[in-house]
Amino acid sequence: MKKLKQIYEGKAKILYETESPELLIQYFKDDATAFNAKKKGTISQKGVMNNKISAKIFEFLQAQGIPTHFEKLLSEREMLVKRVAIVPVEVIIRNKAAGSLSRLLDLPEGKKLACPILEFCYKEDRLGDPMITEYHIRALELATDEEIKTISQYAIKVNELMSRFFLKLNLELIDFKLEFGRYQGKIILADEISPDTCRLWEVGTGKKLDKDRFRQDLGNIEEAYQEVLSRVTK
Ligand code: TMP
Ligand code: ASP
């Protein structure tokens, strides 16, 4: 499958058209940003690792009945994906307090939550992806009520599936972000699922094996991503 016209470049990925109007090539870069791109850097080999980790997780979720945009791996940094229209709403699920939730509500990092929290953010870099509610989504017509329901149900199911998946690898899924797209009239999971978009803590030690190592300057970033990759592909 040949790369044709570049149609999108984001902070971590580039999308290219292919000979098929239904399919795109998703290319993973090493660029890393945090705090709405106020902090910038690169993580050596991140694109390669996130491509492979995402592929594994999409394959797992697909096999468990979650429709995803993933078709197949093409190369070290490229995967073939279905061409979707991204719903401009990011979905975050949290099992323990960390990151922006800890800051928002002054909760200690790692505090257990009585039940998972589902948050929506408006996908708009210019505004720093602000948190919104279902009412904003409806009022701004970002998605229909039926789509919000489907997206929420998929996100909750993905949390159950991925929490179990990672726990078997001795990793605790603290929180994660998902993006969905419209494809042939249906909602499917899109974007990527990687240590850029999930918080993963090693069970027992609590060691952070995700992008917080970059956000918080904890060092050994590449090693952390490599550790996740080797557990996921083992
Ligand atoms: P947060 O605590 O910074 O809001 O992040 C929650 C989860 O969402 C965390 O696993 C990282 C992920 N995330 C992204 O994938 N992209 C983003 O732009 C942000 C802010 C968070
Ligand atoms: N990727 C986001 C940004 O650049 C935020 C993050 O992951 O912390 O702003």
Side-chain angles (χ1 to χ4, degrees):
M1 197 58 80
K2 265 205 311 251
K3 276 203 297 245
L4 300 178
K5 198 172 104 204
Q6 177 178 321
I7 56 160
Y8 169 85
E9 176 157 13
K11 287 177 282 197
K13 295 184 297 297
I14 306 175
L15 292 173
Y16 298 92
E17 287 182 332
T18 66
E19 289 109 328
S20 163
E22 300 282 290
L23 298 171
L24 297 176
I25 291 174
Q26 176 162 265
Y27 176 95
F28 287 76
K29 303 191 283 185
D30 287 347
D31 298 349
T33 60
F35 312 114
N36 202 28
K38 282 191 202 81
K39 182 181 170 88
K40 287 196 176 98
T42 56
I43 301 172
S44 167
Q45 295 297 105
K46 174 170 82 82
V48 174
M49 297 187 279
N50 281 358
N51 184 34
K52 294 178 184 172
I53 294 167
S54 284
K56 276 283 168 197
I57 298 174
F58 281 137
E59 274 170 2
F60 164 73
L61 292 174
Q62 191 85 43
Q64 301 293 319
I66 306 288
T68 84
H69 72 156
F70 178 73
E71 288 280 318
K72 62 174 180 179
L73 273 177
L74 293 176
S75 70
E76 289 281 276
R77 289 177 183 273
E78 292 166 335
M79 58 169 64
L80 190 65
V81 298
K82 294 187 174 77
R83 181 176 196 148
V84 301
I86 287 285
V87 177
V89 174
E90 298 186 348
V91 186
I92 293 172
I93 297 244
R94 301 177 188 274
N95 295 306
K96 283 189 171 174
S100 68
L101 179 69
S102 287
R103 292 193 293 273
L104 183 70
L105 300 179
D106 191 24
L107 300 175
E109 195 175 57
K111 182 184 162 59
K112 178 105 187 73
L113 302 167
C115 64
I117 294 176
L118 186 154
E119 294 172 0
F120 297 111
C121 295
Y122 180 29
K123 189 174 156 63
E124 177 52 81
D125 282 341
R126 189 173 56 88
L127 305 174
D129 299 343
M131 203 201 295
I132 54 175
T133 70
E134 286 183 42
Y135 285 85
H136 298 89
I137 298 175
R138 202 173 294 128
L140 301 181
E141 298 181 303
L142 304 178
T144 66
D145 281 358
E146 199 189 327
E147 286 174 333
I148 303 171
K149 199 172 147 203
T150 304
I151 286 172
S152 304
Q153 284 171 347
Y154 281 152
I156 290 162
K157 185 73 188 157
V158 167
N159 185 39
E160 290 166 10
L161 292 167
M162 286 213 300
S163 293
R164 255 184 280 144
F165 174 88
F166 282 119
L167 207 51
K168 283 193 190 143
L169 309 176
N170 234 24
L171 297 171
E172 184 176 7
L173 181 62
I174 302 299
D175 59 29
F176 60 95
K177 183 265 301 176
L178 300 176
E179 295 186 27
F180 292 87
R182 301 181 179 105
Y183 182 76
Q184 298 178 347
K186 295 219 161 63
I187 289 288
I188 67 174
L189 187 55
D191 194 52
E192 68 174 285
I193 301 179
S194 70
D196 272 13
T197 65
C198 300
R199 284 195 174 89
L200 295 166
W201 295 359
E202 188 176 54
V203 175
T205 65
K207 187 175 173 197
K208 293 175 179 173
L209 295 174
D210 56 59
K211 200 164 119 183
D212 270 351
R213 300 205 75 81
F214 169 78
R215 295 188 189 98
Q216 301 171 4
D217 296 314
L218 299 176
N220 299 105
I221 310 173
E222 291 85 359
E223 289 81 354
Y225 280 65
Q226 188 57 54
E227 183 60 39
V228 174
L229 174 61
S230 61
R231 291 189 194 205
V232 162
T233 52
K234 159 172 91 181

